[in-house]
Amino acid sequence: MEPLSWGQIIGQMFIQFTPVWIALVVLFTASIIYKRKLGLYGKLFDSPIGMIGFGIVMFWVFTAIFSNLIITHDPLVQVSGMKNKVPGTPVPEGTAGFEYYLLGGDNLARDVFSRMVAGSRIVVQIAPFATLFAFMVGITLGLPAGYFGGRLDTFLSFLANLILAFPVILLFYLLVTPEIVATGLPTYMAGVLFLFPIIFLVVLWNSRYFTQPQKRNVFVAITLLLGGWVYLGTAWGADPTGFFNMQSNILIVFVSVVFVNSPTVFRIVRGLALDIQTRDYVAAAQTRGEGPWYIMLWEILPNARGPLIVDFCLRIGYTTILLGTLGFFGLGLEPESPDWGTTINAGRRLLSIFPHPALAPALALMSLVLGLNLLADGLREESLKD
Amino acid sequence: MGLFILRRVGVMILTALCLTFIVFYLTNLYPNLEKLAKTQGNMRMTDAQVESWLGDRGYLEPIPVKYGQWLGVLPGFTHTDEDGKVTGRCIRTGVEAADAPTFCGILQGDWGYSTVFKDEVGTIVSKRLALTGKLMFWVMVLMVPSALIIGVLAGMREGSKLDRTLSTFSIASTATPEYVSGVILIAVFASSAFGLKWFKGTATAAMDNATFENFFLPVVTIALYGVGYIARMTRASMTEVMTAQYIRTARLKGVSFPNIVMKHALRNALIAPFTVIMLQFPWLLNGVVIVETLFNYKGFGWTLVQAAGNNDIELLLGCSVVAVFVVLVTQLISDIGYVYLNPRIRVS
């Protein structure tokens, strides 16, 4: 069979992504029709930059969701004779899957296109959740530091600056090694860091409904039960039903990314809390006799949401970059894992002869982070218009 | 001001002590020591042999004691074997035990001995830092002026076509981490697949003899990531200045637009980017590690990766001291510089 030309390759890739295009069209039509009723999300569709960014981000999210429909070959299977083949090379007769390697083969004769698509799944699974956890940690510690000030603030700020003064890569090299995993340190760190979302939610419910003990007890009980279940499963691998569990190498990557991100979030939240607590509505709440946690979580936090949402988008992008860095240095994830950083690392050795195995994941990572940055920019513009 | 600097220096020293202790603790965990013993001694050592190998070299003492020895506040470890021969931390090969100093830590200027490179840590770090310094110098030469020009051009007429184009470029450049831009640049300009081959894909030769051909790609790769960020900060500060009252006054007086930008706006707009540029140094450190690994340029970042990958404790500590020092000093300089540049701020 003849190798495919570049036009045919692009056409075929377009066809492979059909489920993503359908999902994107449905999402955008629905959002644009109802945009006046959707608050800040709806306003995003007034800004072309925000719309482009959101489109790129959702493209990768849908790619991750439908990755099993999109891939043309198993991302881990090697087809003999396809080593380092250029894009559009036909696979030998009788091989399972599509007749061509759309973006060529890598140095172990696996399909670059399928690995890139499968890699999106790992990134889209880890990056938002890790960022969310970092935000929980940062908010739970940053609000009291900014609101109470004093010794607590000095101590927590010192800790945050301590972690920030570490070069990220050195920290990764110290934390994400098989030897450190053997000491159980990441599990303990997960044990501490994963507690914060539960603490956050419990304090949130308690401060809001402490005048209605019945309602509060229900919310707190549900949070503790569900949160405790997930917590046991993810941090300690001790879920009795076995529904929630995390592979140890994913856990360590997750924990170290949360650990690196949370001091920055802490500083942002602390700064916002310092600024907002001088406002009149905070003074009004204080005069009303509200407790400090109510003021922090239900007066200050909602009013800080604009900058926090923008930073959340930017930070997912930064987390994606960090995940790629880990993969680039071969830390954490297994060497055959299809995530983008690991694939770039595998492809860079033969970069000057066969650039395509490293180029595909590199462009994918760049487009996702670019999308997130554009989305953040659009959100910032729209939230400033109020 | 003097008190302010003094307090900052105190916090800095405390931070540096905490950080090195953390690095020390993590590198001295038993599985790491076991790996060190097996790579340095023999891969097939039994557990008992590993223990005695580590014990003879003083690795099994309590961590605070070892940390004190490394700092130079506790006497160095010594060990006498069955033949009465004395070995120890401070006793280097070729030196008699009696002549060796009792204390040998960084306070005495002794940075220790690298187990990977078989050399003094002090010499390795200074040699590698010089190479990285060369890289950083050219990065700064390329990055700072281009970022400032982009930022000022984008910020002088907010919302214009030029502003949109340059802002999009800055966003794109901050979205491209070094390992992505490096890969793309090598693929386009140095690979046989695209056939351009203008530059070299490796910078190993640039260590002795840096030419445009072998040094341009690594410099551009690091600079690109920083340019976007500084440019965005400059743009933000420039747009703010351009809406100020005195600019409007100057315009109403009939001053020409280039004159307003050059003489009235520029100086005030460059205060904020100064801090950002200083705070970029720690960021550049990350970029340096990635780029030196990608281009195989054996500078400081490359050494850090080698030391961390092989659990070379003293070299890693040396590297982290340098890294932490760079981060903290740039923070200090940016604070002080900010106060000097902006007379409206007074440190009390």
Side-chain angles (χ1 to χ4, degrees), chain A residues 49 158 161-170 173-175 177 179-180 182-183 185 267 314 318 320-325 328-329 341 344 348 351-353 355 358-359 362-363 365-366 369-370 373-374 377 380-381, chain B residues 11 14-15 18-19 22-23 26-27 29 31-32 35 164 168 171-172 174-177 179-180 182-184 186-187 190-194 225 232 283 285-286 289-290 293-294 304-305 308-309 316 320 323-324 327-328:
Chain A
I49 286 195
F158 179 74
N161 288 337
L162 197 67
I163 302 170
L164 284 176
F166 251 115
V168 179
I169 291 169
L170 177 64
Y173 258 107
L174 290 173
L175 285 178
T177 57
E179 284 78 27
I180 297 279
T183 62
L185 189 75
R267 289 231 295 217
L314 284 177
Y318 181 57
T320 311
I321 292 179
L322 283 182
L323 288 174
T325 312
F328 179 78
F329 285 105
I344 294 173
R348 77 184 160 96
L351 202 53
S352 47
I353 314 163
L359 217 47
L363 290 174
L365 194 146
M366 189 178 110
V369 180
L370 181 64
N373 282 16
L374 291 176
D377 227 49
R380 187 184 356 238
E381 241 169 57
Chain B
V11 173
L14 189 63
T15 313
C18 290
L19 281 176
I22 294 170
V23 177
L26 288 173
T27 45
L29 288 170
N32 273 333
K35 184 181 159 203
R164 291 273 169 214
T168 315
I171 294 179
T174 42
T176 319
Y179 52 88
V180 168
V183 160
I184 294 174
I186 294 182
S191 78
S192 44
F194 280 77
Y225 191 49
R232 287 178 84 176
W283 276 104
L285 206 67
N286 265 327
V289 177
I290 293 172
T293 313
L294 184 64
L304 192 131
V305 169
L316 194 54
S320 30
V324 167
V327 174
L328 297 177

Side-chain angles (χ1 to χ4, degrees), chain A residues 6 9 72-75 77-92 99-116 343 346-348 350-351 353-361:
Chain A
W6 273 106
I9 292 174
T72 53
H73 296 85
D74 186 326
V77 162
Q78 311 178 358
V79 177
S80 69
M82 295 304 289
K83 188 174 162 183
N84 289 326
K85 282 288 182 296
V86 291
T89 311
V91 294
E99 299 112 319
Y100 296 92
Y101 266 11
L102 282 175
L103 290 176
D106 66 3
N107 62 340
L108 288 173
R110 295 167 300 195
D111 182 28
V112 172
F113 175 74
S114 303
R115 284 178 72 74
M116 181 190 79
T343 325
R348 77 184 160 96
L350 290 171
L351 202 53
I353 314 163
F354 305 111
H356 60 272
L359 217 47

Side-chain angles (χ1 to χ4, degrees), chain A residues 220-243:
Chain A
V220 169
I222 291 175
T223 310
L224 282 179
L225 219 73
L226 269 179
W229 183 22
V230 178
Y231 174 74
L232 277 180
T234 48
W236 301 100
D239 177 11
T241 58
F243 185 70

